[in-house]
């Protein structure tokens, strides 16, 4: 018998606070699989067991494993993981567009509906995998902060989408990989090189070009939605959302693969729902949408968010994290296109310049992490 471990070991942050919230990551979900026992070809039934890596069975128990007797290994479709990533980016962008279209509904209430959809999706998985609802005792405090910070990132991101241009908020969220590297260096003692510092400076430059503070760009700021005060609040909310999302990734790296992916999302949804309901009662903002169109948009936001998460997870299961992280920058492209087509808001050259800085920064960070993981994999083979 052979003990085979499936899936990719490394995952990169998914951007956008879409979980992603998600973004854009260090979660163990896509690469966290359960070991399976599979008969190894050429090994007799009464013989010894051999440990090897199997990247295609993805933790499926025998006899459904790819190495089961009499079964043929399915050939992977080239580029399928990248296609899933593009589809995920498109669904997340559509959800953001519908959020912009909603009228008179607070971002916290939208987040509460999103948490309800996630709970409905994750609950059957918890029951099927028998993970329980609390998790290991030593990991519950980390799961709590993962849920709190993750849901906070979602609320802040939704607020940013509502008060500032869609493309601007999306671009800012793509600084998440850069801040993740910085926080991992501070709290996990991971390596932080001069390249990482350069990418951080690029990301900060991009955010400054988007925010355009008056003390640098003068008092007459053009190309924003509404007042500059709202634009500044949205920028601060987007940055805080990105930092919160980066913190959740650092926490998940600390937890490792000892906690099932579904349990991590469960904490995110439950704590997020509780926090949103309490906040809505404090703000006295809880109300059902008066317009039937807004109710449809709320349902679509929940469904599209789940669909984006599913396709991003599938992408990370069959493709390396580096290419997925780079292709995830299509979020920015879709955000610009949807903003022009459906919101009639042309981005300024400042926004385009900021987007180029942030995309270059996040792509550079992803490529460096990818090369580092490939190098480690080759060293393990040797």
């Amino acid at each position: 018998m052979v003990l085979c471990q499936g899936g990719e070991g490394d995952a990169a942050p998914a951007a956008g606070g879409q979980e992603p919230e998600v973004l854009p990551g260090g979660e163990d979900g896509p690469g966290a699989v359960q070991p399976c026992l599979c008969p190894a070809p050429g090994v007799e039934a009464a013989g010894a067991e051999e440990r090897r890596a199997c990247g295609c069975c993805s933790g499926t128990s025998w006899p459904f494993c790819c190495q089961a007797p009499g079964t043929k290994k399915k050939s992977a479709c080239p580029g399928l993981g990248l296609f899933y990533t593009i589809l995920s980016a498109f669904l997340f962008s559509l959800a953001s567009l519908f959020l912009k279209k909603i009228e008179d509904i607070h971002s916290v209430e939208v987040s509460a509906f999103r948490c309800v959809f996630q709970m409905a999706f994750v609950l059957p998985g918890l029951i099927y995998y028998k993970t329980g609802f609390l998790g290991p005792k030593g990991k519950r405090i980390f799961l709590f902060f993962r849920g709190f910070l993750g849901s906070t990132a979602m609320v802040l991101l939704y607020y940013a989408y509502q008060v500032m241009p869609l493309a601007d908020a999306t671009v800012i969220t793509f600084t998440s990989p850069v801040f993740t590297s910085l926080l991992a260096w501070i709290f996990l003692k991971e390596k932080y090189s001069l390249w990482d510092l350069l990418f951080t400076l690029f990301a900060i430059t991009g955010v400054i070009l988007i925010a355009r503070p008056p003390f640098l760009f003068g008092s007459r700021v053009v190309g924003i939605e509404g007042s500059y005060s709202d634009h500044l609040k949205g920028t601060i909310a987007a940055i805080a959302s990105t930092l919160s999302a980066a913190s959740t990734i650092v926490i998940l790296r600390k937890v490792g693969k000892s906690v099932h992916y579904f349990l991590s999302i469960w904490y995110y949804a439950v704590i997020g729902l509780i926090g949103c309901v309490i906040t809505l009662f404090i703000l006295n903002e809880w109300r059902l949408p008066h317009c039937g169109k807004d109710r449809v948009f709320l349902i679509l936001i929940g469904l599209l968010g789940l669909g984006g998460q599913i396709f991003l997870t599938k992408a990370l299961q069959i493709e390396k994290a580096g290419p997925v992280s780079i292709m995830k920058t299509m979020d920015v492209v879709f955000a610009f296109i949807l903003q022009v087509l459906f919101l009639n808001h042309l981005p300024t050259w400042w926004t385009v310049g900021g987007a180029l800085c942030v995309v270059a920064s996040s792509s550079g960070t992803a490529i460096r992490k990818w090369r580092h993981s490939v190098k480690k994999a080759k060293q393990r083979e040797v």
Side-chain angles (χ1 to χ4, degrees), residues 126 130-144 255 258-260 262-264 266-267:
L126 292 178
K130 299 178 181 179
T131 61
F133 296 96
L134 297 178
K137 288 185 178 180
K139 306 295 182 180
R140 292 175 186 175
I141 185 65
F142 295 108
L143 287 170
F144 171 81
V255 171
S258 59
V259 176
H260 197 277
F262 278 123
L263 191 60
S264 174
W266 173 255
Y267 267 82

Side-chain angles (χ1 to χ4, degrees), residues 41-189:
V43 180
E44 297 182 359
E49 296 184 354
E50 174 190 358
R51 184 182 181 89
R52 62 185 180 87
C54 172
C56 49
C57 62
S58 299
T60 308
S61 58
W62 189 82
F64 302 103
C65 173
C66 61
Q67 297 296 332
T71 59
K72 295 182 179 180
K73 179 180 178 180
K74 293 183 180 180
S75 58
C77 178
L80 183 60
L82 300 182
F83 171 75
Y84 283 156
T85 307
I86 295 176
L87 185 56
S88 167
F90 181 68
L91 294 179
F92 281 138
S93 299
L94 273 183
S96 305
L97 174 65
F98 289 139
L99 181 63
K100 293 286 290 184
K101 289 288 188 179
I102 285 181
E103 301 174 358
D104 300 328
I105 300 180
H106 201 280
S107 59
V108 179
E109 185 171 353
V110 180
S111 302
F113 276 95
R114 172 71 186 274
C115 289
V116 170
F117 272 92
Q118 286 203 336
M119 289 175 64
F121 172 75
V122 172
L123 184 59
L126 292 178
I127 297 174
Y128 177 79
Y129 288 108
K130 299 178 181 179
T131 61
F133 296 96
L134 297 178
K137 288 185 178 180
K139 306 295 182 180
R140 292 175 186 175
I141 185 65
F142 295 108
L143 287 170
F144 171 81
F145 281 109
R146 178 267 184 274
F148 175 75
L149 291 171
S151 57
T152 300
M154 175 178 60
V155 173
L156 292 172
L157 180 61
Y158 283 1
Y159 175 77
Y161 280 143
Q162 287 185 331
V163 300
M164 68 185 302
L166 177 63
D168 291 15
T170 303
V171 168
I172 292 176
T173 61
F174 266 80
T175 59
S176 179
V178 179
F179 289 122
T180 300
S181 298
L182 181 61
L183 293 176
W185 171 61
I186 296 173
F187 295 104
L188 301 181
K189 308 303 179 184

Side-chain angles (χ1 to χ4, degrees), residues 19-37:
E19 187 55 15
E21 281 105 279
V22 329
L23 274 310
E27 289 197 15
D28 50 328
V33 294
Q34 304 300 323
C36 60
L37 291 175

Side-chain angles (χ1 to χ4, degrees), residues 335-359:
F336 275 96
I337 294 174
L338 294 176
Q339 176 175 296
V340 173
L341 292 180
F342 297 100
L343 301 177
N344 298 319
H345 186 86
L346 291 174
T348 65
W349 288 109
W350 293 115
T351 298
V352 174
L356 291 176
C357 287
V358 171
V359 169

Side-chain angles (χ1 to χ4, degrees), residues 196-228:
D196 293 313
L197 178 60
L198 179 63
F199 293 143
T200 302
L201 294 176
F202 257 88
I204 294 174
T205 301
V207 172
I208 291 175
L209 291 176
I210 292 172
R212 283 164 282 168
F215 67 89
L216 290 177
F217 294 83
S219 58
R220 298 183 62 183
V221 180
V222 296
I224 62 174
E225 290 181 0
S227 65
Y228 180 76

Side-chain angles (χ1 to χ4, degrees), residues 237-280:
I239 295 174
S241 171
T242 301
L243 288 172
S244 296
S247 300
T248 62
I249 295 172
V250 172
I251 290 173
L252 289 168
R253 286 183 183 177
K254 179 70 175 178
V255 171
K257 296 186 178 182
S258 59
V259 176
H260 197 277
Y261 178 64
F262 278 123
L263 191 60
S264 174
I265 300 180
W266 173 255
Y267 267 82
Y268 171 90
V270 171
I271 295 176
L273 180 60
I274 294 173
C276 287
V277 170
I278 293 174
T279 304
L280 287 170

